[in-house]
Amino acid sequence: MGLELDLKLLRCCGESTSKGNEHLKKGPWTSAEDEILVTYVNRFGEGNWNSIRKHTELRRCGKSCRLRWINHLMPNLKKGAFTEQEEQLVITLHSKMGNRWAQMAAFLPGRTDNDIKNYWNTRKKRCQRAGLPLYPPNACHNVSEEDEESSCLSKYSYSYDQPFELLQGSIPNGPGIISDNFQTNYGASSYAMPFADTVGFGSQNYAFANPTANCVVQPTYFENVLHAFNGSVADGYPTAKQFLFQPSGGTSQNCFGSLHGADPSSQSLAPFLGAIPGGHALLNDTISTYCPTRTAKLELPSDQCVETDASSRLTCPGTPVSVYNVQSPSAADTVQSNFVSPWKSGPMLQQAHLLSDAEKEPSEMSSITSTIKPNDVFESSGLSFDDMELYSTAVADSYVESPSALVSLQSKWFAPCKSGPVLQEAHALSSAEKEPSLKSSVTPIVKSSDVSECRIDGTEFYSTPFAFDTYVKSPSATIPYQSKCVTPWKNVPLSSVPQEGHAPGSSEAGGPSEKRSVTSIMKTNNVFCSSGLSINDREFNSKPVVVDTYVGSLPATFSSQLQQERTIAPWKGNPVVVVADAFNSAEEEPLEKFC
DNA sequence: AAACTGCTCAACCGCGTTGCG
DNA sequence: TCGCAACGCGGTTGAGCAGTT
């Protein structure tokens, strides 16, 4: 059969002319046609849909081929009924975006615009018949049905600038959180809010507690969504930010639950307030009735957060990603995280590079700084980080930066590609590639692939083609650094995931004795099809959904007091089990356990 | 069991956008 | 700058299925 298909595929040009006038078939696709199309796309990639007809016996127009591929044959498509979470998300997204199905689809991995459109139309009809509102009564949508019908783009553009409280409020299960060992730093030096003039954007969702609270700020998946969503409508960059605070050492809570128990002195805060009837946002140590249509003033350091009002919810031009820092108990330790994802289209180029000490001036950073920057850039096929052009497709984009006094490391990876054979070749960008004189410092490797199995540095990674598998390792001869990203794992125990870093090609140099200096581990997991996940012998009970990001960063001086942060979000449909533990890089044993 | 109704979803169509010669 | 082709997106249609009468 394969040979036959090959022959069909390779039969080209000579017949193409005669086929030019050939009657094109319509109607349902047969399995044989599917096979031809799949074979063709796997071999030649997407695009040039019209050429398929010329090069194969497929008598379908290019449009039809594209549609068939995108809606049915493309890998990673999710079939079956929408889950409750997906439904909620669709409702929320529609309230903000209107009939922009393709953009909405970017927020629902595995769902096509057609899926969403069909779902919505069915729901719409059902609601109309039942006399029910399309949106929950408590939801204040920005796009009215009238607007929707008129489908005015300019209106949408305007509505996009509205707060995202509705979107935020629609998430039934808040992401889990980690925390401890870090203290939210409200100081001017550590709380970086590049989008200062956008803080007002949905700022009522910044439920800040006592500024001295021992909290960890965690970006959530839906923050990613917000970023992506907002970024897609502004200038390609995120403009919104959402934080979730958890009490130090406390267990993760359903954000709604913690909301209603809101105590001005509590450190548990809920960011997803929008759609909660009678919901309250905790602001300035007072409980104010939540008003989804207005922007509340956000209590932030004055020099970090520009006070805003509804009229100033604009993006901050020129600021590629929003940033916030979390400061650890040690004032010197800062964690900086950004989340933006996914990429919608365009060629993917994965790059990782290590910032040299000189680049990041680590000497001025007394201990450690870790940065995560996943990016959602829907409208852009290209992104520039540190003067590097990064092109990516599809879904996720994560960015990690972990400089310390001894090491400055930055790794970037983008995954997964939405379609087509995904093989993000390891891309080791030594500093030398940018700064030749610093070449010997570090060598990061980024690998991402859509394979069911891969082997990296002698370690087997089992994954599924559902999404992506990213692996980052960035040690240097003198500065053992390791970050790993493996996504997604499907029904496969993760015990095989290597946990210790070693310098590729110089593992001896990165031996245990040297690992004490700096060790950072990053794990990002997308588990779409597994209800259970095990990482480092820890059980993560979850249902498939989206993003699990883990970042650890350890200063050289913290050999005995290592700090690690894990962020796992969002786990869908069940209590989020979050584990954050500190690893002693030398001993590879968790020093602390959270959750 | 047949007719009817409603729903889902695959597929098509038209239009706007983009890229290229 | 213009025209054309390819592509992408949203709207619409209709076949097929399931449930109900």
Side-chain angles (χ1 to χ4, degrees):
Chain A
M1 188 61 185
L3 181 60
E4 185 180 342
L5 281 171
D6 285 351
L7 292 174
K8 289 179 181 177
L9 284 173
L10 296 176
R11 225 178 268 171
C12 53
C13 299
E15 294 183 9
S16 63
T17 50
S18 62
K19 285 183 179 179
N21 300 326
E22 202 171 333
H23 176 68
L24 297 178
K25 185 183 176 185
K26 291 185 178 180
W29 282 64
T30 65
S31 56
E33 288 176 314
D34 284 346
E35 197 166 354
I36 293 174
L37 179 57
V38 168
T39 305
Y40 181 89
V41 173
N42 286 339
R43 174 167 297 184
F44 301 106
E46 294 183 61
N48 293 322
W49 298 109
N50 282 323
S51 67
I52 296 177
R53 187 173 77 251
K54 301 173 185 174
H55 295 187
T56 72
E57 291 183 345
L58 204 53
R59 286 175 292 183
R60 296 275 184 173
C61 71
K63 255 186 171 183
S64 184
C65 291
R66 173 183 165 272
L67 210 62
R68 182 65 185 176
W69 172 258
I70 288 177
N71 286 338
H72 301 285
L73 302 178
M74 199 167 65
N76 308 339
L77 289 180
K78 197 187 292 181
K79 296 293 183 183
F82 276 45
T83 66
E84 190 176 338
Q85 280 71 32
E86 286 175 322
E87 291 176 357
Q88 291 293 323
L89 190 53
V90 168
I91 294 170
T92 301
L93 289 171
H94 190 274
S95 72
K96 308 299 291 186
M97 308 168 83
N99 294 355
R100 290 190 148 180
W101 313 116
Q103 289 192 16
M104 292 166 69
F107 293 100
L108 292 118
R111 301 295 187 182
T112 68
D113 55 351
N114 212 38
D115 292 336
I116 298 171
K117 183 169 57 182
N118 284 332
Y119 165 77
W120 184 260
N121 288 335
T122 297
R123 180 179 185 277
K124 184 180 175 182
K125 192 182 295 182
R126 189 167 56 237
C127 288
Q128 286 174 343
R129 182 178 293 113
L132 299 173
L134 265 177
Y135 304 100
N138 54 318
C140 178
H141 56 281
N142 290 328
V143 180
S144 67
E145 276 304 290
E146 293 73 27
D147 291 339
E148 175 195 340
E149 299 303 331
S150 60
S151 188
C152 173
L153 247 178
S154 60
K155 273 183 192 171
Y156 291 153
S157 297
Y158 173 77
S159 68
Y160 284 171
D161 291 333
Q162 305 309 307
F164 275 92
E165 54 278 3
L166 197 154
L167 176 59
Q168 293 156 353
S170 69
I171 310 310
N173 283 316
I177 290 327
I178 39 142
S179 91
D180 228 337
N181 280 351
F182 290 90
Q183 188 173 36
T184 305
N185 187 322
Y186 294 83
S189 62
S190 66
Y191 191 95
M193 185 62 74
F195 291 101
D197 56 349
T198 69
V199 168
F201 181 100
S203 61
Q204 58 270 42
N205 295 300
Y206 287 88
F208 285 93
N210 184 345
T212 62
N214 193 22
C215 299
V216 148
V217 177
Q218 182 203 15
T220 71
Y221 167 70
F222 292 104
E223 180 182 356
N224 297 352
V225 171
L226 295 183
H227 275 183
F229 175 64
N230 198 32
S232 70
V233 298
D235 52 2
Y237 296 124
T239 59
K241 182 58 64 179
Q242 185 178 33
F243 292 158
L244 175 59
F245 290 78
Q246 287 290 330
S248 173
T251 57
S252 299
Q253 300 179 38
N254 181 303
C255 61
F256 291 166
S258 62
L259 166 73
H260 294 297
D263 177 351
S265 63
S266 171
Q267 297 156 2
S268 298
L269 299 165
F272 303 125
L273 305 174
I276 305 169
H280 294 78
L282 191 58
L283 296 168
N284 301 337
D285 282 353
T286 61
I287 298 178
S288 57
T289 301
Y290 176 68
C291 177
T293 59
R294 297 187 57 192
T295 302
K297 177 183 176 181
L298 173 62
E299 184 89 359
L300 284 175
S302 59
D303 55 341
Q304 296 292 333
C305 171
V306 176
E307 182 175 328
T308 61
D309 55 26
S311 64
S312 64
R313 292 193 298 265
L314 301 173
T315 59
C316 180
T319 308
V321 290
S322 58
V323 178
Y324 57 83
N325 289 350
V326 180
Q327 194 163 58
S328 63
S330 168
D333 300 338
T334 62
V335 175
Q336 185 180 48
S337 305
N338 298 335
F339 281 72
V340 191
S341 67
W343 298 86
K344 186 179 180 182
S345 62
M348 173 178 279
L349 170 61
Q350 297 195 346
Q351 299 195 23
H353 74 254
L354 209 55
L355 295 184
S356 68
D357 293 350
E359 283 179 271
K360 301 299 289 186
E361 298 182 0
S363 60
E364 297 179 2
M365 309 173 76
S366 55
S367 59
I368 187 167
T369 298
S370 180
T371 301
I372 305 173
K373 295 178 181 178
N375 296 290
D376 283 353
V377 182
F378 282 82
E379 301 295 342
S380 173
S381 61
L383 177 68
S384 175
F385 270 133
D386 300 332
D387 298 325
M388 278 203 316
E389 287 292 323
L390 302 174
Y391 298 93
S392 171
T393 61
V395 184
D397 160 14
S398 298
Y399 170 75
V400 177
E401 181 176 334
S402 295
S404 73
L406 293 180
V407 61
S408 295
L409 182 140
Q410 184 180 32
S411 56
K412 298 171 181 174
W413 66 97
F414 301 86
C417 282
K418 185 177 180 182
S419 59
V422 179
L423 174 56
Q424 316 305 331
E425 189 50 49
H427 194 102
L429 291 178
S430 68
S431 303
E433 292 181 45
K434 300 176 74 177
E435 304 260 354
S437 61
L438 301 169
K439 188 168 187 173
S440 61
S441 60
V442 283
T443 302
I445 294 176
V446 175
K447 288 183 178 179
S448 179
S449 56
D450 242 359
V451 297
S452 57
E453 178 179 345
C454 68
R455 179 182 292 271
I456 302 174
D457 293 335
T459 303
E460 286 186 348
F461 288 76
Y462 297 96
S463 177
T464 63
F466 273 83
F468 55 92
D469 165 10
T470 304
Y471 170 74
V472 178
K473 183 185 290 187
S474 295
S476 74
T478 57
I479 305 161
Y481 177 92
Q482 182 184 28
S483 64
K484 296 173 181 174
C485 295
V486 184
T487 62
W489 301 95
K490 178 187 177 183
N491 300 327
V492 174
L494 295 180
S495 56
S496 61
V497 177
Q499 301 178 23
E500 67 176 6
H502 62 276
S506 60
S507 57
E508 292 75 14
S513 61
E514 296 182 1
K515 286 178 187 169
R516 282 178 297 180
S517 57
V518 176
T519 297
S520 181
I521 296 176
M522 169 172 295
K523 291 178 179 177
T524 299
N525 297 288
N526 280 355
V527 183
F528 289 86
C529 296
S530 173
S531 59
L533 178 67
S534 172
I535 301 176
N536 299 338
D537 297 324
R538 296 178 186 282
E539 287 292 325
F540 291 80
N541 297 314
S542 166
K543 289 184 178 177
V545 172
V546 190
V547 176
D548 161 11
T549 301
Y550 165 74
V551 176
S553 189
L554 306 171
T557 56
F558 280 23
S559 57
S560 62
Q561 187 182 355
L562 305 179
Q563 299 180 4
Q564 186 175 32
E565 168 189 352
R566 279 184 184 179
T567 300
I568 300 176
W571 301 98
K572 182 181 180 183
N574 69 335
V576 176
V577 179
V578 179
V579 176
D581 45 11
F583 284 85
N584 180 316
S585 60
E587 301 171 358
E588 295 181 11
E589 288 180 2
L591 299 180
E592 296 185 26
K593 300 174 181 176
F594 309 115
C595 176

PDB file of all heavy atoms in Angstrom, chain A residues 480-491:
ATOM      1  N   PRO A 480      27.586  23.799  36.507  1.00  0.00           N
ATOM      2  CA  PRO A 480      26.566  22.806  36.173  1.00  0.00           C
ATOM      3  C   PRO A 480      25.179  23.421  36.243  1.00  0.00           C
ATOM      4  O   PRO A 480      24.754  23.896  37.283  1.00  0.00           O
ATOM      5  CB  PRO A 480      26.748  21.735  37.235  1.00  0.00           C
ATOM      6  CG  PRO A 480      28.081  22.004  37.833  1.00  0.00           C
ATOM      7  CD  PRO A 480      28.304  23.470  37.704  1.00  0.00           C
ATOM      8  N   TYR A 481      24.573  23.380  35.190  1.00  0.00           N
ATOM      9  CA  TYR A 481      23.214  23.885  35.149  1.00  0.00           C
ATOM     10  C   TYR A 481      22.386  22.912  34.346  1.00  0.00           C
ATOM     11  O   TYR A 481      22.810  22.388  33.338  1.00  0.00           O
ATOM     12  CB  TYR A 481      23.150  25.259  34.492  1.00  0.00           C
ATOM     13  CG  TYR A 481      21.754  25.773  34.372  1.00  0.00           C
ATOM     14  CD1 TYR A 481      21.214  26.574  35.367  1.00  0.00           C
ATOM     15  CD2 TYR A 481      20.963  25.420  33.293  1.00  0.00           C
ATOM     16  CE1 TYR A 481      19.923  27.023  35.268  1.00  0.00           C
ATOM     17  CE2 TYR A 481      19.674  25.863  33.193  1.00  0.00           C
ATOM     18  CZ  TYR A 481      19.150  26.668  34.183  1.00  0.00           C
ATOM     19  OH  TYR A 481      17.873  27.113  34.076  1.00  0.00           O
ATOM     20  N   GLN A 482      21.250  22.708  34.808  1.00  0.00           N
ATOM     21  CA  GLN A 482      20.402  21.769  34.088  1.00  0.00           C
ATOM     22  C   GLN A 482      18.968  22.227  34.105  1.00  0.00           C
ATOM     23  O   GLN A 482      18.419  22.577  35.136  1.00  0.00           O
ATOM     24  CB  GLN A 482      20.481  20.382  34.714  1.00  0.00           C
ATOM     25  CG  GLN A 482      19.663  19.365  33.965  1.00  0.00           C
ATOM     26  CD  GLN A 482      19.681  18.045  34.672  1.00  0.00           C
ATOM     27  OE1 GLN A 482      19.825  18.015  35.876  1.00  0.00           O
ATOM     28  NE2 GLN A 482      19.533  16.971  33.940  1.00  0.00           N
ATOM     29  N   SER A 483      18.434  22.230  33.024  1.00  0.00           N
ATOM     30  CA  SER A 483      16.991  22.448  32.979  1.00  0.00           C
ATOM     31  C   SER A 483      16.419  21.470  31.988  1.00  0.00           C
ATOM     32  O   SER A 483      16.984  21.201  30.944  1.00  0.00           O
ATOM     33  CB  SER A 483      16.668  23.885  32.573  1.00  0.00           C
ATOM     34  OG  SER A 483      17.120  24.124  31.287  1.00  0.00           O
ATOM     35  N   LYS A 484      15.363  20.931  32.379  1.00  0.00           N
ATOM     36  CA  LYS A 484      14.754  19.905  31.546  1.00  0.00           C
ATOM     37  C   LYS A 484      13.284  20.223  31.324  1.00  0.00           C
ATOM     38  O   LYS A 484      12.591  20.624  32.226  1.00  0.00           O
ATOM     39  CB  LYS A 484      14.861  18.537  32.197  1.00  0.00           C
ATOM     40  CG  LYS A 484      16.282  18.055  32.355  1.00  0.00           C
ATOM     41  CD  LYS A 484      16.297  16.788  33.147  1.00  0.00           C
ATOM     42  CE  LYS A 484      17.725  16.304  33.331  1.00  0.00           C
ATOM     43  NZ  LYS A 484      17.789  15.147  34.228  1.00  0.00           N
ATOM     44  N   CYS A 485      12.904  19.999  30.190  1.00  0.00           N
ATOM     45  CA  CYS A 485      11.490  20.145  29.874  1.00  0.00           C
ATOM     46  C   CYS A 485      11.069  18.935  29.076  1.00  0.00           C
ATOM     47  O   CYS A 485      11.631  18.654  28.041  1.00  0.00           O
ATOM     48  CB  CYS A 485      11.223  21.408  29.058  1.00  0.00           C
ATOM     49  SG  CYS A 485      11.593  22.886  29.984  1.00  0.00           S
ATOM     50  N   VAL A 486      10.157  18.265  29.572  1.00  0.00           N
ATOM     51  CA  VAL A 486       9.689  17.086  28.867  1.00  0.00           C
ATOM     52  C   VAL A 486       8.179  17.137  28.774  1.00  0.00           C
ATOM     53  O   VAL A 486       7.491  17.147  29.778  1.00  0.00           O
ATOM     54  CB  VAL A 486      10.095  15.804  29.590  1.00  0.00           C
ATOM     55  CG1 VAL A 486       9.677  14.607  28.785  1.00  0.00           C
ATOM     56  CG2 VAL A 486      11.591  15.799  29.817  1.00  0.00           C
ATOM     57  N   THR A 487       7.734  17.238  27.609  1.00  0.00           N
ATOM     58  CA  THR A 487       6.297  17.322  27.436  1.00  0.00           C
ATOM     59  C   THR A 487       5.888  16.692  26.140  1.00  0.00           C
ATOM     60  O   THR A 487       6.608  16.756  25.170  1.00  0.00           O
ATOM     61  CB  THR A 487       5.833  18.766  27.389  1.00  0.00           C
ATOM     62  OG1 THR A 487       6.451  19.357  26.276  1.00  0.00           O
ATOM     63  CG2 THR A 487       6.155  19.497  28.645  1.00  0.00           C
ATOM     64  N   PRO A 488       4.762  16.193  26.096  1.00  0.00           N
ATOM     65  CA  PRO A 488       3.952  15.735  27.199  1.00  0.00           C
ATOM     66  C   PRO A 488       4.199  14.252  27.411  1.00  0.00           C
ATOM     67  O   PRO A 488       4.604  13.540  26.517  1.00  0.00           O
ATOM     68  CB  PRO A 488       2.544  15.963  26.695  1.00  0.00           C
ATOM     69  CG  PRO A 488       2.677  15.626  25.238  1.00  0.00           C
ATOM     70  CD  PRO A 488       4.091  15.989  24.823  1.00  0.00           C
ATOM     71  N   TRP A 489       3.902  13.832  28.550  1.00  0.00           N
ATOM     72  CA  TRP A 489       4.030  12.416  28.840  1.00  0.00           C
ATOM     73  C   TRP A 489       2.650  11.798  28.791  1.00  0.00           C
ATOM     74  O   TRP A 489       1.725  12.283  29.414  1.00  0.00           O
ATOM     75  CB  TRP A 489       4.639  12.207  30.210  1.00  0.00           C
ATOM     76  CG  TRP A 489       5.959  12.828  30.304  1.00  0.00           C
ATOM     77  CD1 TRP A 489       6.235  14.061  30.799  1.00  0.00           C
ATOM     78  CD2 TRP A 489       7.206  12.298  29.856  1.00  0.00           C
ATOM     79  NE1 TRP A 489       7.563  14.326  30.706  1.00  0.00           N
ATOM     80  CE2 TRP A 489       8.184  13.258  30.125  1.00  0.00           C
ATOM     81  CE3 TRP A 489       7.580  11.104  29.257  1.00  0.00           C
ATOM     82  CZ2 TRP A 489       9.520  13.066  29.829  1.00  0.00           C
ATOM     83  CZ3 TRP A 489       8.907  10.915  28.961  1.00  0.00           C
ATOM     84  CH2 TRP A 489       9.868  11.874  29.242  1.00  0.00           C
ATOM     85  N   LYS A 490       2.593  10.765  28.124  1.00  0.00           N
ATOM     86  CA  LYS A 490       1.282  10.130  28.016  1.00  0.00           C
ATOM     87  C   LYS A 490       1.351   8.710  28.540  1.00  0.00           C
ATOM     88  O   LYS A 490       2.012   7.855  27.969  1.00  0.00           O
ATOM     89  CB  LYS A 490       0.834  10.101  26.557  1.00  0.00           C
ATOM     90  CG  LYS A 490      -0.493   9.408  26.365  1.00  0.00           C
ATOM     91  CD  LYS A 490      -0.799   9.253  24.905  1.00  0.00           C
ATOM     92  CE  LYS A 490      -2.086   8.484  24.716  1.00  0.00           C
ATOM     93  NZ  LYS A 490      -2.388   8.246  23.318  1.00  0.00           N
ATOM     94  N   ASN A 491       0.665   8.522  29.594  1.00  0.00           N
ATOM     95  CA  ASN A 491       0.532   7.170  30.133  1.00  0.00           C
ATOM     96  C   ASN A 491       1.877   6.499  30.345  1.00  0.00           C
ATOM     97  O   ASN A 491       2.008   5.297  30.231  1.00  0.00           O
ATOM     98  CB  ASN A 491      -0.320   6.310  29.211  1.00  0.00           C
ATOM     99  CG  ASN A 491      -1.706   6.888  29.048  1.00  0.00           C
ATOM    100  OD1 ASN A 491      -2.229   7.492  29.988  1.00  0.00           O
ATOM    101  ND2 ASN A 491      -2.275   6.735  27.889  1.00  0.00           N
TER     102      ASN A 491
END
